[in-house]
């Protein structure tokens, strides 16, 4: 009977070990417990009862490493450098799951940046991999973007359509080119937003498929590096399926700067003016002017652009509009000349008005509130060049 009791006791003691992860060190010793994640370049393990490695390793004798006490108490948190480990056998999980949180997002081109659902912390490493295609006009855009640039895009000097990202909703936040594959270190705390580096979106379809991996960190360990089992609570378990649930985040608009910051100081009857250049490649140049219903707007334009080989050099009125049989023009203003200066109003909900012809001069009364956008009337901007000089007056 005594032998049976001892045997049952032995089975109960071994049960936690049977369900534990196994970490085999390079010096031949074995640690059993639960791999919790990856913190500050070290793999974090909660020891199972009796799961210690015996003689301390280099990280165990390093006073700067949290958890440098004994190794045999169940529940103790241990830290191991990757170069100390030969292999890890994880019970029902992969090592990548232990090291990273992973989220997959579809990034379409629309009026707002896409909320990735990923919150990053300053100093945290983030890995972004992207695939998929966005079709815009006649262009097929991959996450690396095109060879052309778009002056009206968030990053006018970077490849048009490339996958870009920013942390937070502040319009002054740095915007980074991510492309097909990029690893970066977050410079601030906040939500990661993604979009394609292009000024207009009304002709776009399809989406990039973006995989975002963030290196796991254990909040309790960051606050208190003492080695005791209260450092990592069950709510900090990185394998908890509820851990990756995203909290709601504010919208980040693609409209540069959001609403006009100077509008609060502009009286209803005051005059607003702007002088801008509209490139021949423009699919949408932001004038920086927010119109209100009833505003009287006068736009004058001079200069010439090259609107492709067929049309050649044209003024703001555009070239002769020609077609082939029953083919319908895909230009924003089909009935206007190729290369003509045209405009539209971007509404608060991200939708845009019907394009209207500006030409050398236009005076009109705004019918709705919105941002004034100017562009060139074309369906292929790749061989365009030159600029229109445009002056805008609003009463």
């Amino acid at each position: 009977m005594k032998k049976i009791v001892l045997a049952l006791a032995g089975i109960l003691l071994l049960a936690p070990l049977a369900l534990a992860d196994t970490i085999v060190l390079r010096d031949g010793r074995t640690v059993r417990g639960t791999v919790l994640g990856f913190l500050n370049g070290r793999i974090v393990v909660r020891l199972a009862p009796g799961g210690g490695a015996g003689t301390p390793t280099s990280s165990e004798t390093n006073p700067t490493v949290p958890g440098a006490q004994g190794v045999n108490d169940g529940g103790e948190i241990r830290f191991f450098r990757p170069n100390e480990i030969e292999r890890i056998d994880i019970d029902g999980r992969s090592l990548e799951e232990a090291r990273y949180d992973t989220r997959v997002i579809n990034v379409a081109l629309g009026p707002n940046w896409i909320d990735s659902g990923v919150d990053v912390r300053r100093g945290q490493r983030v890995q972004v991999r992207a695939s998929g295609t966005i079709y815009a006009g006649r262009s097929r855009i991959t996450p690396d973007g095109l060879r052309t640039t778009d002056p009206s895009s968030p990053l006018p000097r970077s490849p048009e359509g490339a996958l870009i990202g920013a942390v937070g909703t502040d319009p002054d936040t740095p915007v980074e080119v991510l492309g097909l594959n990029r690893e970066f270190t977050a410079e601030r705390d906040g939500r990661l937003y993604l979009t394609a580096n292009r000024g207009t979106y009304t002709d776009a379809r399809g989406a990039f498929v973006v995989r975002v991996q963030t290196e796991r960190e254990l909040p309790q360990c960051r606050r208190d590096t003492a080695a005791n089992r209260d450092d990592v609570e069950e709510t900090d378990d990185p394998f908890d399926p509820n851990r990756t649930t995203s909290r709601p985040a504010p919208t980040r608009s693609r409209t540069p700067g959001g609403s006009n910051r100077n509008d609060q100081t502009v009286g209803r009857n005051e005059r607003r003016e702007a002088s801008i250049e509209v490139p021949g490649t423009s699919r949408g140049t932001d004038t920086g002017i927010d119109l209100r219903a009833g505003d009287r707007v006068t736009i004058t334009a001079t200069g010439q652009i090259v609107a492709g080989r067929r049309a050649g050099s044209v003024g703001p009125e555009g070239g002769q509009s020609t077609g082939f049989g029953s083919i319908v023009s895909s230009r924003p203003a089909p009935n206007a000349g190729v290369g003509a200066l045209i405009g539209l109003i971007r509404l608060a909900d991200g939708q845009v008005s019907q394009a209207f012809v500006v030409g050398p001069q236009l005076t009109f009364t705004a019918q709705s509130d919105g941002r004034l956008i100017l562009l060139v009337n074309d369906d292929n901007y790749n061989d365009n060049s030159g600029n229109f000089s445009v002056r805008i007056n609003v009463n």
Side-chain angles (χ1 to χ4, degrees):
M1 184 65 179
K2 184 176 180 180
K3 290 182 179 180
I4 294 175
V5 171
L6 291 174
L8 288 174
I11 292 173
L12 291 175
L13 288 173
L14 291 173
L17 298 182
L19 299 176
D21 303 326
T22 301
I23 299 89
V24 179
L25 303 178
R26 290 187 182 277
D27 60 10
R29 292 173 299 147
T30 298
V31 176
R32 292 185 176 86
T34 301
V35 175
L36 295 177
F38 199 76
L39 173 65
N40 297 331
R42 294 176 174 82
I43 293 173
V44 186
V45 180
R46 178 191 285 136
L47 295 184
T55 304
T57 65
S58 59
S59 65
E60 293 161 5
T61 57
N62 187 342
T64 65
V65 179
Q69 283 80 5
V71 297
N72 295 315
D73 293 332
E76 184 182 343
I77 303 303
R78 296 302 317 220
F79 294 74
F80 297 95
R81 294 187 179 91
N83 61 8
E84 294 179 306
I85 297 174
E86 179 67 30
R87 74 173 190 276
I88 300 179
D89 299 325
I90 297 183
D91 182 24
R93 302 181 296 266
S94 69
L95 182 56
E96 188 171 86
E97 285 182 278
R99 181 169 181 176
Y100 295 103
D101 278 320
T102 302
R103 195 174 186 88
V104 178
I105 312 102
N106 288 329
V107 178
L109 188 56
N112 298 317
W113 289 65
I114 303 300
D115 175 8
S116 71
V118 176
D119 290 305
V120 300
R121 291 178 291 274
R122 182 178 181 181
Q124 186 177 29
R125 286 192 291 180
V126 183
Q127 175 73 51
V128 178
R129 295 184 178 89
S131 60
T133 303
I134 289 177
Y135 298 90
R138 296 181 178 180
S139 299
R140 181 178 181 274
I141 307 174
T142 67
D144 266 346
L146 304 173
R147 293 182 179 180
T148 57
T149 58
D150 182 355
S152 62
S153 66
L155 294 177
R157 297 182 180 179
S158 297
E160 178 185 356
L163 177 68
I164 57 176
V167 176
T169 57
D170 186 340
D172 295 328
T173 298
V175 177
E176 300 288 343
V177 177
L178 301 176
L180 284 168
N181 192 339
R182 169 80 186 277
E183 181 175 307
F184 66 95
T185 301
E187 295 182 355
R188 64 187 66 200
D189 296 349
R191 181 64 64 92
L192 176 64
Y193 291 85
L194 304 168
T195 191
N197 189 43
R198 196 165 185 263
T200 58
Y201 55 86
T202 54
D203 61 344
R205 64 190 188 279
F208 297 147
V209 179
V210 183
R211 187 169 181 256
V212 179
Q213 289 185 319
T214 50
E215 196 173 43
R216 292 188 190 276
E217 290 185 324
L218 307 178
Q220 294 291 337
C221 286
R222 286 201 313 274
R223 288 195 297 266
D224 181 3
T225 58
N228 59 71
R229 63 184 307 163
D230 293 331
D231 282 351
V232 182
E233 301 173 358
E234 290 302 319
T235 55
D236 293 319
D237 185 353
F239 301 108
D240 180 358
N242 297 320
R243 184 176 183 270
T244 57
T245 302
S246 298
R247 59 178 176 78
T251 298
R252 181 183 173 107
S253 173
R254 285 174 50 86
T255 302
S259 61
N260 192 334
R261 297 177 182 176
N262 296 323
D263 278 353
Q264 295 178 354
T265 60
V266 176
R268 180 64 183 174
N269 297 319
E270 286 191 59
R271 189 180 186 91
R272 283 170 284 164
E273 298 182 356
S275 295
I276 64 171
E277 297 290 320
V278 178
T281 56
S282 175
R283 295 177 173 88
T285 297
D286 186 356
T287 65
I289 291 181
D290 287 317
L291 301 178
R292 292 163 292 189
D295 280 344
R296 188 168 177 78
V297 186
T298 298
I299 306 173
T300 57
T302 59
Q304 290 191 327
I305 66 168
V306 174
R309 297 177 181 177
R310 185 183 296 273
S313 180
V314 300
E317 69 283 355
Q320 183 178 359
S321 180
T322 60
F324 299 91
S326 60
I327 296 177
V328 177
S329 171
S330 59
R331 297 191 294 269
N335 296 324
V338 60
L341 179 66
I342 61 176
L344 53 83
I345 307 299
R346 180 180 293 160
L347 307 178
D349 61 1
Q351 300 299 311
V352 296
S353 70
Q354 184 174 356
F356 53 88
V357 180
V358 174
Q361 183 170 342
L362 174 68
T363 298
F364 68 97
T365 300
Q367 300 301 308
S368 59
D369 295 354
R371 189 77 157 211
L372 176 61
I373 306 295
L374 299 178
L375 60 157
V376 169
N377 191 41
D378 206 346
D379 56 4
N380 180 11
Y381 299 84
N382 293 332
D383 52 358
N384 290 7
S385 61
N387 298 277
F388 290 137
S389 297
V390 181
R391 187 172 180 82
I392 307 161
N393 295 306
V394 181
N395 288 320

